[in-house]
Amino acid sequence: MCKQYLHRLDCTKCLHSVRIRYNSCSELERISLSAVDALKILCLSKVLDFHHPHQLKDGLEGFSLDLPEHAETLEQILVDCRDTLKYGVSTGHPRFFNQLSSGLDVIGVAGEWLTSTANTNMFTYEVSPVFILMEEVLLKKMQSIVGWSEDEGDGIFCPGGTISNLYSILVARYRVCPEVKTKGMGALPPLALFTSEHSHYSVKKSAAVLGLGSESVMVVTCDERGKMIPAELESSILAAKSKGLLPFYVNATAGTTVYGAFDPLAAIADICHTHRLWMHVDAAWGGGLLMSDRHRRKLQGIERACSVTWNPHKMMCVPLQCSVILVKKPGLLQECNKLGAEYLFQTDKPYDVNYDTGDKSIQCGRHVDVFKLWLMWKAKGSDGFGSQVNKCLENAEYLYDQLKRNSDFQLVFKHKPEHSNVCFWYIPPSLRALQPGPDRDRRLHEVAPQIKGRMMEKGSVLIGYQPFGDKVNFFRCVFSNPATQPEDIDFLLNEIITLGADL
């Protein structure tokens, strides 16, 4: 529910934020007034009520993190719930532009509540029959959207995109060297994997966790827009072979974290085919564009991937956490991870034990992440998700156009955004007469952090910043909340100007 609308006391706009998601007045009428009122109560007018760690640890206005020896009253428990929301960050606010996952979906929240009520585990059909079947249905649906045929595909819901990417390296390594499962890394030749300089840090982290070592990851040069250069990938593979390494895996990114760039998937697939390498597509951020007829062409070639990471908790606005690893080869996840614990995975159960999917996972206990996505898909349909994605990218284009017209700002690159990422600098009056050079860069580098600090203190809006390569700190605005309107974007720019004019 859109929190900016609450402090304006405008119920029509508040209901409009629901209508954005479900696009139907008849469906809107089925949402009870009491549910809408309850969401109004939960919503806060600020994006955050910021306090430093020592302030929260010391206690504020009766809010204490200390744990008691004796039970507290129900009234105090309710106060604690209220204060936890009060001092936390309101990621559902339409002016929260800080992370790739944001928004508050009414149906998704209902799905999360039901999941917690069921309080079951996703390892066997006997304890999670409906959820296991839902997972199968959703995985098949997502595989078909990627472009795989009915008989080629497997997958599992994971606790985040980092773990999904880890699975991709795990199964790729098993495919090329299955003995690693029993004999460990000592039995293998030195391996090499490849990813772009704009890719997510989880690729190197996964290599470290899996014992390959972060130095086994070869970083491939990108063009100015942040896309992997295929010729550089080819050169890196040949260089690795010349050093006696065994290349086995390439990570291509569909929607990079900072620039929102899409690697040239078809060209990368050609190279992987030539060298017989596993091609993974990290579409954690960009996978949602597959739901849009207008934008899915940006992922052309993804159907040739051996595995795909896709996070519905990002562009599809599903409550955290909801991530999927899709693997093109059926049975490979099971072969790679199966240990057959007899207290869980008995073979003489009175049903088809192929539905005991827990041995595909590196976890034992696995949270039910599937139901909220299934319920939202029921409520929106594929078309509804597509409209939602289109809205977020329209917001990015609106911001891009506003920045081009405003001399107070400078775009990090002049190209129109491919995704909903928009990167820019605010140039305060004191720097506008300075010539480009080290002194201007040093002073500009300090601008975004200072404005961000003032934003947090005020709590009116939240946006991320970072340096990248030779570029000093710049703002990165991302859109994944369909409740965000053009007036929220205008507010963001005006707030940056107001907070940074004296710097």
Side-chain angles (χ1 to χ4, degrees), residues 325-346:
I325 175 66
L326 304 174
V327 180
K328 199 169 190 177
K329 182 174 174 57
L332 189 60
L333 270 170
Q334 184 86 356
E335 292 173 28
C336 180
N337 297 316
K338 180 179 179 180
L339 285 177
E342 293 181 350
Y343 57 85
L344 278 179
F345 306 117
Q346 304 93 340

Side-chain angles (χ1 to χ4, degrees), residues 74-343:
L74 177 59
E75 289 77 10
Q76 182 58 48
I77 296 300
L78 292 174
V79 169
D80 289 341
C81 289
R82 181 201 67 192
D83 289 345
T84 297
L85 289 176
K86 172 179 170 58
Y87 298 122
V89 177
S90 181
T91 60
H93 199 294
R95 294 176 182 170
F96 176 82
F97 307 109
N98 209 73
Q99 253 69 45
L100 304 184
S101 52
S102 66
L104 177 62
D105 189 280
V106 184
I107 302 298
V109 171
E112 193 71 82
W113 283 340
L114 188 144
T115 296
S116 296
T117 302
N119 193 32
T120 191
N121 201 323
M122 287 290 286
F123 45 45
T124 62
Y125 180 84
E126 65 184 279
V127 298
S128 214
V130 181
F131 295 137
I132 290 285
L133 295 180
M134 283 179 178
E135 185 173 57
E136 179 186 52
V137 168
L138 268 168
L139 289 170
K140 286 185 179 297
K141 182 70 171 179
M142 296 173 82
Q143 289 157 14
S144 70
I145 291 170
V146 166
W148 296 348
S149 66
E150 180 76 19
D151 60 346
E152 54 177 11
D154 197 358
I156 199 166
F157 278 71
C158 302
T162 291
I163 303 301
S164 293
N165 286 342
L166 185 147
Y167 270 108
S168 71
I169 299 174
L170 182 69
V171 295
R173 184 182 65 176
Y174 177 81
R175 185 190 70 109
V176 71
C177 303
E179 61 270 27
V180 71
K181 182 175 178 180
T182 52
K183 297 180 181 178
M185 288 297 297
L188 306 185
L191 302 177
L193 56 158
F194 306 84
T195 194
S196 87
E197 60 183 331
H198 281 251
S199 66
H200 195 260
Y201 73 91
S202 59
V203 177
K204 282 192 174 182
K205 177 171 280 192
S206 297
V209 169
L210 292 171
L212 294 161
S214 60
E215 292 183 0
S216 68
V217 181
M218 308 297 155
V219 177
V220 181
T221 304
C222 293
D223 62 20
E224 62 174 9
R225 183 60 187 83
K227 299 171 179 288
M228 183 190 289
I229 301 172
E232 293 291 334
L233 173 62
E234 179 82 34
S235 297
S236 296
I237 292 169
L238 295 175
K241 287 181 176 180
S242 70
K243 295 175 183 176
L245 304 176
L246 175 62
F248 77 105
Y249 171 101
V250 174
N251 173 69
T253 309
T256 58
T257 305
V258 179
Y259 284 4
F262 290 80
D263 286 342
L265 302 183
I268 292 171
D270 289 341
I271 293 170
C272 289
H273 178 75
T274 298
H275 294 277
R276 303 184 67 181
L277 306 182
W278 183 280
M279 178 183 171
H280 174 66
V281 175
D282 177 4
W285 178 221
L289 273 63
L290 291 168
M291 305 301 296
S292 165
D293 291 339
R294 188 185 306 169
H295 295 288
R296 65 169 291 122
R297 59 180 175 75
K298 296 172 184 177
L299 292 93
Q300 185 174 357
I302 194 172
E303 71 282 355
R304 298 175 63 187
C306 302
S307 57
V308 173
T309 290
W310 182 350
N311 285 9
H313 69 230
K314 291 182 176 173
M315 185 51 64
M316 294 170 72
C317 210
V318 178
L320 283 163
Q321 62 193 25
C322 190
S323 176
V324 171
I325 175 66
L326 304 174
V327 180
K328 199 169 190 177
K329 182 174 174 57
L332 189 60
L333 270 170
Q334 184 86 356
E335 292 173 28
C336 180
N337 297 316
K338 180 179 179 180
L339 285 177
E342 293 181 350
Y343 57 85

